[in-house]
Amino acid sequence: MDAYKDKKIVALGGGHGLGRILSALKGIDDNATGIVTTTDNGGSTGRIRHCQGGIAWGDTRNCINQLITEPTSESIMFEYRFKGEGELNGHNLGNLMLTALDNLSVRPMEAIQLIRTMLKVQVNIVPMSEHPSDLKGLTVDGNWVHGETRVDQMDQQLVRLELEPEVPATLEAIVAIAQADCIVLGPGSFLTSVMPPLLLPEIGRAIFNNQTAKVIFIENISPEDGSAGRMKIKQKLEWCERACQGRKIDIVIVDSSYPDIEPEWSFFKADLASPNRDWRHDREKLKNAILAQFDH
């Protein structure tokens, strides 16, 4: 890892997949940056947004949880989820803390910085936007589906995704992309984790403008449900490239072969599955696969 400590890696996505990437890259500390999706409208996050407004904090909290190296009283408190009856049932205290700090701060970025300091998290965490927005998708029959949870559960194929309303990207995200040596898309829920940051025009333009960085797409190990589960990997790559103004994806990291499209993209095939949970990526294997691209 020491040989790559000066490399700046930016990864975009949602809580589970992005958190996995960032925890794999902990060794490069503040040279790793996660740009986090903020469109979730389900669960504790959705209930908080309904009552308080603001951006979705659930994916950010999930990423931070995966970056905590040693359990402490603070980390146990941050990860605590209420049980029982009443309004608090199901709420995650970390979501409530971030919401409270956001209300007390000038910017959501300040709330994240305070939590990172408290939990001794070195990796940079940046929300894709500091303004609330929701995901909407256009189905093949011409109907719009509103909200991330509905998009995620759609039985019909989607032909288009948008953010409503249109919001500006976070300046820190644009700067991190401009300075990156490597930009990672995925793994994670393609439509509701990987795509939302790319729907911000400034982010797509920033990726296009950084022609020296390697852009990597990491495919999921296990298939998704819903509309994303019916998308072929070629379609996912085309959606990403279109959002990035035609910027070609340099490397596609996969655990299986795709002979029909391998002439169109450069594939890096590796065993990436966790030995005890073969549906998710192993952190060490993921780290090695990403860092190997600097040697190609």
Short mmCIF file of all heavy atoms in Angstrom, two decimals, residues 19-60:
data_model
loop_
_atom_site.label_atom_id
_atom_site.label_comp_id
_atom_site.label_asym_id
_atom_site.label_seq_id
_atom_site.Cartn_x
_atom_site.Cartn_y
_atom_site.Cartn_z
N GLY A 19 -18.99 2.18 0.73
CA GLY A 19 -18.35 1.92 2.02
C GLY A 19 -17.34 0.79 1.94
O GLY A 19 -16.28 0.84 2.57
N ARG A 20 -17.66 -0.22 1.12
CA ARG A 20 -16.75 -1.34 0.93
C ARG A 20 -15.46 -0.87 0.24
O ARG A 20 -14.35 -1.26 0.63
CB ARG A 20 -17.43 -2.41 0.07
CG ARG A 20 -16.88 -3.81 0.23
CD ARG A 20 -17.36 -4.42 1.50
NE ARG A 20 -16.86 -5.79 1.65
CZ ARG A 20 -16.80 -6.40 2.82
NH1 ARG A 20 -17.19 -5.79 3.91
NH2 ARG A 20 -16.35 -7.63 2.91
N ILE A 21 -15.61 -0.05 -0.79
CA ILE A 21 -14.45 0.49 -1.50
C ILE A 21 -13.58 1.32 -0.55
O ILE A 21 -12.36 1.15 -0.48
CB ILE A 21 -14.89 1.38 -2.68
CG1 ILE A 21 -15.52 0.53 -3.80
CG2 ILE A 21 -13.73 2.19 -3.22
CD1 ILE A 21 -14.54 -0.19 -4.67
N LEU A 22 -14.21 2.23 0.17
CA LEU A 22 -13.45 3.15 1.03
C LEU A 22 -12.76 2.40 2.17
O LEU A 22 -11.62 2.73 2.53
CB LEU A 22 -14.37 4.23 1.59
CG LEU A 22 -15.00 5.16 0.55
CD1 LEU A 22 -15.93 6.17 1.23
CD2 LEU A 22 -13.93 5.88 -0.27
N SER A 23 -13.41 1.39 2.72
CA SER A 23 -12.76 0.61 3.78
C SER A 23 -11.59 -0.20 3.23
O SER A 23 -10.62 -0.46 3.94
CB SER A 23 -13.78 -0.30 4.48
OG SER A 23 -14.34 -1.23 3.58
N ALA A 24 -11.68 -0.58 1.94
CA ALA A 24 -10.55 -1.27 1.31
C ALA A 24 -9.37 -0.34 1.08
O ALA A 24 -8.22 -0.79 1.02
CB ALA A 24 -11.00 -1.87 -0.03
N LEU A 25 -9.65 0.97 0.97
CA LEU A 25 -8.61 1.95 0.65
C LEU A 25 -8.15 2.75 1.86
O LEU A 25 -7.47 3.77 1.71
CB LEU A 25 -9.13 2.92 -0.43
CG LEU A 25 -9.47 2.31 -1.78
CD1 LEU A 25 -10.12 3.36 -2.69
CD2 LEU A 25 -8.22 1.73 -2.45
N LYS A 26 -8.49 2.28 3.07
CA LYS A 26 -8.16 3.04 4.27
C LYS A 26 -6.67 3.35 4.39
O LYS A 26 -6.29 4.34 5.00
CB LYS A 26 -8.63 2.30 5.52
CG LYS A 26 -10.08 2.52 5.85
CD LYS A 26 -10.45 1.98 7.21
CE LYS A 26 -10.28 0.49 7.31
NZ LYS A 26 -10.86 -0.08 8.54
N GLY A 27 -5.83 2.52 3.80
CA GLY A 27 -4.38 2.72 3.93
C GLY A 27 -3.87 4.00 3.30
O GLY A 27 -2.78 4.46 3.64
N ILE A 28 -4.63 4.57 2.34
CA ILE A 28 -4.16 5.83 1.75
C ILE A 28 -4.84 7.04 2.39
O ILE A 28 -4.65 8.17 1.96
CB ILE A 28 -4.35 5.85 0.21
CG1 ILE A 28 -5.82 5.80 -0.19
CG2 ILE A 28 -3.58 4.71 -0.43
CD1 ILE A 28 -6.04 6.02 -1.67
N ASP A 29 -5.64 6.79 3.43
CA ASP A 29 -6.21 7.82 4.30
C ASP A 29 -6.85 8.96 3.52
O ASP A 29 -7.77 8.75 2.75
CB ASP A 29 -5.14 8.33 5.27
CG ASP A 29 -4.66 7.23 6.21
OD1 ASP A 29 -5.48 6.34 6.52
OD2 ASP A 29 -3.49 7.25 6.62
N ASP A 30 -6.35 10.21 3.72
CA ASP A 30 -7.04 11.35 3.12
C ASP A 30 -6.77 11.51 1.63
O ASP A 30 -7.22 12.47 1.01
CB ASP A 30 -6.70 12.65 3.87
CG ASP A 30 -5.22 12.96 3.89
OD1 ASP A 30 -4.44 12.18 3.33
OD2 ASP A 30 -4.85 14.00 4.46
N ASN A 31 -6.04 10.58 1.01
CA ASN A 31 -5.94 10.56 -0.45
C ASN A 31 -7.10 9.79 -1.08
O ASN A 31 -7.21 9.71 -2.30
CB ASN A 31 -4.62 9.95 -0.90
CG ASN A 31 -3.52 11.00 -0.96
OD1 ASN A 31 -3.79 12.19 -1.00
ND2 ASN A 31 -2.28 10.56 -0.95
N ALA A 32 -7.94 9.19 -0.24
CA ALA A 32 -9.16 8.53 -0.71
C ALA A 32 -10.35 9.41 -0.39
O ALA A 32 -10.47 9.95 0.72
CB ALA A 32 -9.32 7.16 -0.05
N THR A 33 -11.23 9.57 -1.36
CA THR A 33 -12.43 10.39 -1.18
C THR A 33 -13.65 9.64 -1.69
O THR A 33 -13.63 9.08 -2.79
CB THR A 33 -12.31 11.72 -1.96
OG1 THR A 33 -11.20 12.45 -1.47
CG2 THR A 33 -13.58 12.56 -1.80
N GLY A 34 -14.69 9.61 -0.89
CA GLY A 34 -15.96 9.03 -1.31
C GLY A 34 -16.97 10.13 -1.58
O GLY A 34 -17.19 10.99 -0.73
N ILE A 35 -17.55 10.11 -2.77
CA ILE A 35 -18.62 11.05 -3.12
C ILE A 35 -19.92 10.27 -3.00
O ILE A 35 -20.17 9.33 -3.75
CB ILE A 35 -18.42 11.63 -4.52
CG1 ILE A 35 -17.11 12.40 -4.58
CG2 ILE A 35 -19.60 12.53 -4.91
CD1 ILE A 35 -16.74 12.92 -5.96
N VAL A 36 -20.76 10.67 -2.04
CA VAL A 36 -21.86 9.83 -1.59
C VAL A 36 -23.20 10.30 -2.15
O VAL A 36 -23.51 11.50 -2.15
CB VAL A 36 -21.94 9.82 -0.05
CG1 VAL A 36 -22.92 8.76 0.43
CG2 VAL A 36 -20.57 9.58 0.57
N THR A 37 -23.99 9.34 -2.60
CA THR A 37 -25.35 9.59 -3.06
C THR A 37 -26.20 10.14 -1.91
O THR A 37 -26.10 9.67 -0.78
CB THR A 37 -25.96 8.29 -3.59
OG1 THR A 37 -25.27 7.91 -4.78
CG2 THR A 37 -27.43 8.43 -3.89
N THR A 38 -27.07 11.11 -2.21
CA THR A 38 -27.87 11.75 -1.16
C THR A 38 -29.36 11.78 -1.52
O THR A 38 -30.08 12.70 -1.14
CB THR A 38 -27.39 13.19 -0.92
OG1 THR A 38 -27.46 13.93 -2.15
CG2 THR A 38 -25.97 13.23 -0.38
N THR A 39 -29.83 10.77 -2.25
CA THR A 39 -31.21 10.77 -2.74
C THR A 39 -32.12 9.74 -2.06
O THR A 39 -33.29 9.62 -2.44
CB THR A 39 -31.24 10.53 -4.26
OG1 THR A 39 -30.50 9.34 -4.56
CG2 THR A 39 -30.65 11.70 -5.02
N ASP A 40 -31.62 9.01 -1.10
CA ASP A 40 -32.41 7.95 -0.45
C ASP A 40 -33.67 8.55 0.18
O ASP A 40 -33.62 9.61 0.81
CB ASP A 40 -31.56 7.26 0.61
CG ASP A 40 -32.24 6.04 1.20
OD1 ASP A 40 -33.27 5.59 0.64
OD2 ASP A 40 -31.75 5.51 2.21
N ASN A 41 -34.79 7.86 0.02
CA ASN A 41 -36.03 8.33 0.65
C ASN A 41 -36.76 7.21 1.37
O ASN A 41 -37.96 7.28 1.60
CB ASN A 41 -36.96 8.97 -0.40
CG ASN A 41 -37.52 7.96 -1.39
OD1 ASN A 41 -36.89 6.94 -1.66
ND2 ASN A 41 -38.70 8.24 -1.93
N GLY A 42 -36.01 6.16 1.76
CA GLY A 42 -36.61 5.04 2.47
C GLY A 42 -36.07 4.89 3.88
O GLY A 42 -35.09 5.53 4.26
N GLY A 43 -36.72 4.07 4.67
CA GLY A 43 -36.26 3.75 6.02
C GLY A 43 -36.18 4.95 6.94
O GLY A 43 -36.93 5.93 6.82
N SER A 44 -35.25 4.89 7.88
CA SER A 44 -35.04 5.98 8.82
C SER A 44 -34.73 7.29 8.10
O SER A 44 -35.26 8.35 8.43
CB SER A 44 -33.89 5.62 9.78
OG SER A 44 -33.51 6.73 10.57
N THR A 45 -33.89 7.21 7.06
CA THR A 45 -33.51 8.39 6.30
C THR A 45 -34.73 9.06 5.68
O THR A 45 -34.89 10.28 5.73
CB THR A 45 -32.51 8.01 5.19
OG1 THR A 45 -31.32 7.51 5.81
CG2 THR A 45 -32.16 9.20 4.33
N GLY A 46 -35.59 8.25 5.06
CA GLY A 46 -36.78 8.81 4.42
C GLY A 46 -37.72 9.46 5.42
O GLY A 46 -38.31 10.52 5.13
N ARG A 47 -37.86 8.86 6.58
CA ARG A 47 -38.74 9.45 7.61
C ARG A 47 -38.19 10.78 8.10
O ARG A 47 -38.94 11.73 8.31
CB ARG A 47 -38.88 8.46 8.78
CG ARG A 47 -39.69 7.21 8.43
CD ARG A 47 -39.49 6.11 9.46
NE ARG A 47 -39.88 6.55 10.80
CZ ARG A 47 -39.53 5.91 11.91
NH1 ARG A 47 -38.75 4.83 11.83
NH2 ARG A 47 -39.92 6.34 13.09
N ILE A 48 -36.86 10.85 8.27
CA ILE A 48 -36.24 12.10 8.70
C ILE A 48 -36.42 13.17 7.63
O ILE A 48 -36.76 14.32 7.93
CB ILE A 48 -34.76 11.90 9.04
CG1 ILE A 48 -34.61 11.02 10.28
CG2 ILE A 48 -34.05 13.23 9.24
CD1 ILE A 48 -33.20 10.57 10.56
N ARG A 49 -36.21 12.81 6.39
CA ARG A 49 -36.37 13.78 5.30
C ARG A 49 -37.81 14.29 5.23
O ARG A 49 -38.05 15.47 4.96
CB ARG A 49 -35.97 13.16 3.97
CG ARG A 49 -34.49 12.90 3.81
CD ARG A 49 -34.16 12.47 2.39
NE ARG A 49 -34.28 13.59 1.47
CZ ARG A 49 -34.31 13.48 0.15
NH1 ARG A 49 -34.24 12.28 -0.41
NH2 ARG A 49 -34.40 14.53 -0.61
N HIS A 50 -38.77 13.39 5.46
CA HIS A 50 -40.17 13.78 5.41
C HIS A 50 -40.50 14.80 6.49
O HIS A 50 -41.27 15.75 6.27
CB HIS A 50 -41.06 12.54 5.57
CG HIS A 50 -42.52 12.83 5.56
ND1 HIS A 50 -43.20 13.17 4.39
CD2 HIS A 50 -43.44 12.85 6.55
CE1 HIS A 50 -44.48 13.39 4.68
NE2 HIS A 50 -44.65 13.21 5.97
N CYS A 51 -39.89 14.64 7.66
CA CYS A 51 -40.17 15.54 8.79
C CYS A 51 -39.29 16.78 8.79
O CYS A 51 -39.76 17.88 9.12
CB CYS A 51 -39.96 14.81 10.12
SG CYS A 51 -41.10 13.44 10.40
N GLN A 52 -38.01 16.62 8.44
CA GLN A 52 -37.03 17.68 8.61
C GLN A 52 -36.55 18.30 7.29
O GLN A 52 -35.94 19.36 7.30
CB GLN A 52 -35.81 17.13 9.36
CG GLN A 52 -36.09 16.69 10.78
CD GLN A 52 -36.21 17.86 11.73
OE1 GLN A 52 -35.46 18.83 11.65
NE2 GLN A 52 -37.16 17.79 12.64
N GLY A 53 -36.78 17.60 6.18
CA GLY A 53 -36.19 18.06 4.93
C GLY A 53 -34.71 17.71 4.89
O GLY A 53 -34.22 16.88 5.63
N GLY A 54 -33.99 18.35 3.99
CA GLY A 54 -32.54 18.15 3.91
C GLY A 54 -32.16 16.98 3.03
O GLY A 54 -33.00 16.28 2.45
N ILE A 55 -30.85 16.75 2.94
CA ILE A 55 -30.34 15.66 2.12
C ILE A 55 -30.50 14.34 2.87
O ILE A 55 -30.72 14.31 4.08
CB ILE A 55 -28.86 15.88 1.73
CG1 ILE A 55 -27.96 15.84 2.98
CG2 ILE A 55 -28.68 17.17 0.96
CD1 ILE A 55 -26.47 15.88 2.66
N ALA A 56 -30.38 13.24 2.13
CA ALA A 56 -30.44 11.91 2.75
C ALA A 56 -29.08 11.59 3.38
O ALA A 56 -28.05 11.66 2.72
CB ALA A 56 -30.80 10.88 1.69
N TRP A 57 -29.11 11.18 4.65
CA TRP A 57 -27.87 10.92 5.38
C TRP A 57 -27.52 9.44 5.49
O TRP A 57 -26.41 9.09 5.90
CB TRP A 57 -27.98 11.50 6.79
CG TRP A 57 -27.85 12.99 6.85
CD1 TRP A 57 -28.83 13.89 7.15
CD2 TRP A 57 -26.68 13.76 6.59
NE1 TRP A 57 -28.34 15.17 7.10
CE2 TRP A 57 -27.01 15.12 6.76
CE3 TRP A 57 -25.37 13.43 6.23
CZ2 TRP A 57 -26.10 16.15 6.59
CZ3 TRP A 57 -24.45 14.45 6.05
CH2 TRP A 57 -24.82 15.80 6.24
N GLY A 58 -28.43 8.55 5.13
CA GLY A 58 -28.22 7.13 5.39
C GLY A 58 -26.98 6.55 4.73
O GLY A 58 -26.24 5.77 5.34
N ASP A 59 -26.72 6.90 3.46
CA ASP A 59 -25.56 6.35 2.77
C ASP A 59 -24.26 6.88 3.36
O ASP A 59 -23.27 6.15 3.45
CB ASP A 59 -25.64 6.69 1.28
CG ASP A 59 -26.71 5.86 0.56
OD1 ASP A 59 -26.55 4.64 0.48
OD2 ASP A 59 -27.70 6.44 0.11
N THR A 60 -24.26 8.15 3.76
CA THR A 60 -23.07 8.73 4.39
C THR A 60 -22.78 8.02 5.72
O THR A 60 -21.64 7.66 6.02
CB THR A 60 -23.27 10.24 4.63
OG1 THR A 60 -23.42 10.89 3.38
CG2 THR A 60 -22.10 10.84 5.39
#
